[in-house]
Amino acid sequence: MPPVVPPPPSRPPTSGLPVLPPAVTDVTDETDVTNKTDEPDVTVDADNKPAPKAGEPPQTLFKIGFVVAGLVFLGLLTWWLATLIASGNEQAANQPPAPAVSESTSPSAQPTRGQLPQDGVSALDYQRGDCFENFDPEATESRVVACTTGHSAQLVAVYRFPESDSYPGIAALREKGREICQDAGLTDAVANYVLMQRNSYPSDTSWEQGDRRVDCYVTADKGNIIMESLIP
């Protein structure tokens, strides 16, 4: 068996899979209930005012009690609001940093390269939405063309790991590639072609050189037969 040669540092390893076309309210019976309260007879004096009952405390005490109850309620409400705000600030302070950015949900599918075609574009400079003529997944550079012209592959999703991350290993990188391919959101145009899904990810050598990207390509089975973009 010939010796196994590791991939060039500037070109991630790849893997491929076939692409498939995109694909009792509970009722609670309520019964109206009328609350009735028996009211005692009230004696009205000559001025049409209710006469106080025997042993009834002076009206001033009721007013004082009402004011005290209101102050207690306001105090409790203020304490509750202060506690809620402090809790929200603590949660914001303890919130973990934002995850690595995936370019698969970019609002624009088309690359901003200027005039196309362009020859000799480095694999590490590919942009989401790029369409490639005569695409070779093992090449370190490719010819980028307009997606309305014949091409054999398109980069449909990109994920970048944080610079501070250590090398996760081939299995984790392969799984991330499959994940971003599933989330790429391809159009119904994929049904017009026989396509393969291909992932590209860093080797441990290229990772050490700063390569943190995982790519998802959609490639034709043969030739430059794709005549449109496969992502919205």
Side-chain angles (χ1 to χ4, degrees):
M1 178 181 294
V4 177
V5 179
S10 61
R11 182 61 209 171
T14 61
S15 63
L17 291 173
V19 174
L20 298 177
V24 178
T25 303
D26 294 333
V27 178
T28 302
D29 294 333
E30 296 183 355
T31 304
D32 293 333
V33 178
T34 303
N35 294 323
K36 297 182 179 180
T37 303
D38 294 330
E39 296 182 355
D41 294 335
V42 178
T43 303
V44 180
D45 60 12
D47 294 329
N48 294 327
K49 296 180 180 181
K53 300 177 182 179
E56 183 178 4
Q59 201 174 35
T60 303
L61 294 178
F62 283 108
K63 293 181 179 179
I64 294 175
F66 180 78
V67 171
V68 172
L71 292 175
V72 171
F73 173 76
L74 289 177
L76 291 174
L77 180 61
T78 302
W79 172 83
W80 178 77
L81 290 175
T83 302
L84 186 63
I85 294 173
S87 176
N89 292 336
E90 182 178 357
Q91 290 179 358
N94 295 332
Q95 186 174 5
V101 176
S102 172
E103 300 176 14
S104 61
T105 56
S106 172
S108 176
Q110 298 300 323
T112 56
R113 291 193 174 278
Q115 188 173 1
L116 295 174
Q118 290 187 16
D119 291 311
V121 179
S122 170
L124 294 179
D125 292 331
Y126 295 164
Q127 300 176 15
R128 178 179 181 265
D130 276 345
C131 293
F132 306 97
E133 184 180 279
N134 299 320
F135 182 66
D136 179 2
E138 303 301 329
T140 58
E141 59 183 36
S142 296
R143 174 179 172 88
V144 179
V145 298
C147 293
T148 53
T149 63
H151 55 280
S152 61
Q154 183 175 13
L155 178 59
V156 298
V158 178
Y159 180 89
R160 298 180 189 273
F161 282 90
E163 292 293 332
S164 58
D165 280 12
S166 57
Y167 188 65
I170 293 296
L173 291 170
R174 183 182 294 115
E175 182 61 29
K176 176 56 69 175
R178 292 173 178 172
E179 176 186 320
I180 65 173
C181 279
Q182 291 175 356
D183 297 338
L186 303 180
T187 67
D188 293 338
V190 298
N192 300 330
Y193 312 95
V194 177
L195 302 171
M196 292 289 292
Q197 163 193 308
R198 183 176 293 275
N199 304 126
S200 175
Y201 36 82
S203 64
D204 55 351
T205 302
S206 61
W207 184 280
E208 291 299 324
Q209 295 177 352
D211 182 9
R212 297 290 187 274
R213 59 183 287 163
V214 178
D215 297 333
C216 173
Y217 301 91
V218 173
T219 63
D221 60 336
K222 58 181 179 178
N224 297 304
I225 62 172
I226 308 174
M227 302 297 295
E228 55 203 309
S229 176
L230 301 177
I231 55 178

